[in-house]
């Protein structure tokens, strides 16, 4: 039985939504959040629950073993979100991805092992499966699809997935992996395409669309992802992988037009820019396993309603993203987009 849950990376986009979701859905649980507050970690994401007596924040790196050991010892289960998460940054510099995603996961796994075992849910991504072709719409990623990571980001996530599976196989750790498609919703760092485009447009700037704009992503609302992770934590089978997806494939041009329409702006606000190197063409998830085994289905992803709500959230919270966009992020943006 879980009384105290340890969450890593709870100050990021999905982690903060998950922390809030768990405190709401499981009122008897206590929750500790370890996060090192890297560029994408933001205390403002959880400002509304900071004073909740069931919640504790610890600022530390998941590679800090003494701290991680102490926190793991206190909990019954771990949900691991902490990671470097942006593909374009991994193309600029892969090293932080190896340190956080690979070594960081190993550090947590060793701590769990040292504590005599804990349920460990590793939050991974559909990107570990690589890319699907546009002309084979019937193809989707299942849990048995071989790993074929194409970016330094997805390679680091694939490496961490393999480590998790090896600790289950070799040491019998009660570890599970979730692989989800692209998330959207409140508190997403505005380097990812949806908040980047909404906030650029809100500031009167154009949006940089990579390549021909025909790359496809399977969009899922972050709360649906949180619900799926909780279902896996409570009901998943040790050693298993669970795919999570929204059955909601959109190409980037469609997505951009949808955002422009919601905001009442014209298609002239798109600037085509050079493609991302190695840009995966299409992701699509077969989520039938989690549906059949755990009864999970997305309940909030009625597109375009969920997209319109998301646009509204960013327009209603300009302080949240203006603060980010005026900080260190400006240097990344200049490096990423000025030469394109
Ligand atoms: P994010 O970048 O918004 O948040 C990452 C968080 O991890 C930040 O709070 C950061 O401070 C923290 N962190 C990073 N390195 C750390 C370290 N060494 N020690 C402690 N904390 C550290 O990312 P996100 O979009 O919320 O993604 C969370 C997880 O979900 C990642 O593992 C990612 O691979 C996975 N995922 C994301 C998506 C998506 O669409 N965003 C989809 C599927 C899976
Ligand atoms: P992103 O949000 O970076 O997620 P991921 O690459 O992990 O799927 O990008 C989503 C899609 O949007 C992807 O096909 C790349 C594209 N994209 C742009 O066209 N322009 C941009 O400025 C960004 C950040 C992404």
């Amino acid at each position: 039985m879980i009384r105290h849950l340890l969450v890593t990376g709870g100050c990021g986009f999905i982690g903060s939504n998950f922390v809030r979701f768990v405190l709401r859905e499981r009122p008897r649980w206590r929750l500790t959040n370890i996060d090192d507050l890297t560029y994408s970690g933001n205390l403002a994401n959880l400002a509304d629950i900071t004073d909740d007596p069931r919640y504790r924040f610890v600022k530390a790196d998941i590679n800090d073993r003494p701290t991680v050991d102490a926190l793991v010892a206190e909990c019954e289960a771990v949900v691991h979100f902490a990671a470097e998460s942006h593909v374009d940054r991994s193309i600029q510099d892969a090293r932080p991805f190896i340190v956080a995603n690979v070594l960081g996961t190993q550090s947590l796994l060793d701590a769990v092992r040292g504590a005599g075992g804990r349920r460990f849910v590793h939050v991974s991504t559909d990107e570990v499966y690589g890319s699907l072709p546009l002309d084979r719409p019937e193809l989707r990623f299942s849990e048995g699809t071989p790993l074929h990571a194409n970016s330094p980001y997805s390679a680091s996530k694939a490496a961490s997935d393999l480590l998790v599976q090896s600790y289950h196989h070799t040491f019998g750790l009660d570890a599970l992996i979730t692989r989800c498609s692209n998330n959207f919703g409140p508190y997403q760092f505005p380097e990812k395409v949806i908040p980047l485009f909404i906030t650029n447009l809100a500031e009167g700037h154009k949006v940089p669309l990579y390549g021909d704009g025909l790359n496809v992503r399977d969009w899922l609302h972050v709360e649906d992802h949180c619900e799926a992770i909780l279902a896996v934590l409570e009901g998943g089978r040790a050693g298993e992988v669970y795919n999570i997806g929204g059955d909601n494939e959109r190409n980037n041009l469609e997505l951009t037009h949808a955002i422009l329409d919601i905001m009442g702006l014209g298609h002239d606000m798109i600037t085509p820019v050079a493609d991302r190197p190695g840009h995966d063409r299409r992701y699509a998830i077969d989520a039938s396993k989690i549906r059949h085994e755990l009864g999970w289905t997305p309940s909030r992803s009625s597109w375009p309603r969920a997209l319109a709500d998301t646009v509204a959230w960013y327009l209603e919270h300009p302080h949240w993203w203006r603060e980010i966009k005026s900080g260190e992020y400006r240097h990344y943006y200049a490096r990423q987009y000025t030469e394109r």
Side-chain angles (χ1 to χ4, degrees):
M1 199 174 74
I2 299 173
R3 289 179 302 269
H4 189 166
L5 181 68
L6 178 63
V7 168
T8 75
C11 295
F13 163 48
I14 305 173
S16 63
N17 277 282
F18 184 75
V19 167
R20 192 176 289 102
F21 179 79
V22 165
L23 290 174
R24 192 179 73 215
E25 298 295 320
R26 296 292 178 269
R28 299 168 77 90
W29 291 11
R30 283 189 300 140
L31 192 152
T32 295
N33 167 21
I34 173 174
D35 193 302
D36 204 24
L37 299 180
T38 69
Y39 78 92
S40 68
N42 187 348
L43 286 176
N45 294 3
L46 288 171
D48 52 326
I49 57 113
T50 311
D51 294 332
D52 190 318
R54 297 169 298 155
Y55 172 73
R56 175 175 55 155
F57 170 61
V58 177
K59 185 195 174 312
D61 189 326
I62 52 171
N63 283 299
D64 171 356
R65 269 300 295 282
T67 301
V68 167
D69 284 352
L71 296 181
V72 167
E74 293 174 358
C75 72
E76 284 83 39
V78 182
V79 179
H80 175 34
F81 295 94
E84 288 290 328
S85 66
H86 190 40
V87 173
D88 290 323
R89 286 187 192 251
S90 81
I91 294 168
Q92 287 186 3
D93 182 8
R95 189 156 185 89
F97 289 72
I98 305 306
V99 175
N101 302 1
V102 184
L103 296 178
T105 301
Q106 180 224 348
S107 162
L108 289 166
L109 289 167
D110 281 338
V112 167
R113 208 185 137 212
R118 295 286 185 276
R119 174 142 280 215
F120 185 85
V121 176
H122 177 62
V123 179
S124 191
T125 165
D126 61 354
E127 305 196 22
V128 298
Y129 295 122
S131 181
L132 294 165
L134 289 185
D135 61 359
R136 298 281 308 278
E138 76 284 6
L139 293 182
R140 293 189 298 167
F141 300 133
S142 72
E143 289 81 359
T145 302
L147 302 191
H148 199 295
N150 288 320
S151 72
Y153 162 65
S154 55
S156 68
K157 291 298 289 188
S160 65
D161 285 18
L162 291 174
L163 272 175
V164 171
Q165 288 178 319
S166 77
Y167 274 63
H168 169 73
H169 184 83
T170 307
F171 306 114
L173 236 61
D174 179 12
L176 308 89
I177 296 173
T178 60
R179 293 190 181 134
C180 189
S181 58
N182 287 62
N183 283 213
F184 67 101
Y187 299 107
Q188 186 166 29
F189 196 84
E191 65 187 351
K192 306 279 168 51
V193 71
I194 290 181
L196 176 71
F197 281 16
I198 297 167
T199 58
N200 269 19
L201 293 167
E203 291 179 308
H205 302 140
K206 296 192 175 191
V207 295
L209 189 63
Y210 295 168
D212 61 10
L214 298 182
N215 300 64
V216 171
R217 298 293 184 264
D218 176 0
W219 291 99
L220 182 75
H221 193 274
V222 64
E223 280 228 359
D224 283 323
H225 188 189
C226 293
E227 212 164 67
I229 293 168
L230 186 59
V232 170
L233 173 67
E234 295 186 313
R237 286 182 294 130
E240 293 293 316
V241 174
Y242 293 91
N243 280 356
I244 304 166
D247 264 331
N248 184 35
E249 290 180 54
R250 310 281 157 188
N251 73 38
N252 293 335
L253 201 56
E254 279 175 72
L255 169 70
T256 310
H257 287 167
I259 293 172
L260 288 168
D261 290 347
I262 292 166
M263 296 181 73
L265 296 167
H267 296 180
D268 58 326
M269 291 304 283
I270 299 174
T271 305
V273 297
D275 208 356
R276 169 187 282 170
H279 195 175
D280 283 340
R281 202 55 165 154
R282 172 175 166 250
Y283 302 141
I285 279 280
D286 173 356
S288 49
K289 177 174 171 178
I290 188 169
R291 198 164 55 238
H292 292 137
E293 274 192 28
L294 302 176
W296 174 86
T297 48
S299 53
R300 291 173 188 77
S301 295
S302 71
W303 189 273
R305 176 64 196 272
L307 182 64
D309 288 348
T310 300
V311 171
W313 188 88
Y314 287 92
L315 297 182
E316 285 159 12
H317 295 81
H319 298 306
W320 181 83
W321 54 264
R322 284 222 172 92
E323 188 103 334
I324 294 168
K325 284 189 128 179
S326 62
E328 179 275 339
Y329 176 69
R330 275 186 305 142
H331 304 296
Y332 162 77
Y333 195 86
R335 277 198 309 276
Q336 178 63 17
Y337 293 101
T338 35
E339 309 255 300
R340 274 194 128 100

